[in-house]
Amino acid sequence: MRYKQGFDLPSCNMATLYDLDTPADAAAALQHEWLVACLCADWCGTCREYQPGFEAIAERFPEAGFLWVDIETHADWADDVDVENFPTLFVMQGEAIRFFGTMLPYPAHLERALESLFAPGAHHLPVDGAEDLPSLRDLLRARAG
């Protein structure tokens, strides 16, 4: 699989970034209990530098569907999301939002956050403003057709 910015993704690993512009990928991502999205912009140099590390984290967590969401390409969905800085991470478990916010662009920070969120018996606190955020699952359902 080749992602639109030209990075090669491992074709043998199920835990790659799902392409929102491919209905089959959107449908496949919906099969995951956990969704992890990086909200980015094509013009953002920090996002371009962060993407390979985000992809590497996707390989470490096959239980989650990982998405790279360009907020300008997918403005129909992202206009309802208040992105203050990049990268902004959005994590859902089922229909519940488990994390939304900016994160320093170091993959190790995301890795530690996901280990904590995915831990058996983890207690999840409500995300401030979650009721005002659009659902990643709704975006995927619309893209899956």
Side-chain angles (χ1 to χ4, degrees), residues 5 12 29 71 77 108 128 134 139:
Q5 270 90 0
C12 60
I71 63 168
W77 176 82
D128 288 338
L139 173 63

Side-chain angles (χ1 to χ4, degrees), residues 3-27:
Y3 193 68
K4 69 180 180 178
Q5 270 90 0
F7 293 101
D8 288 324
L9 299 177
S11 59
C12 60
N13 192 325
M14 296 292 289
T16 60
L17 298 185
Y18 289 99
D19 183 349
L20 288 172
D21 296 322
T22 303
D25 270 14

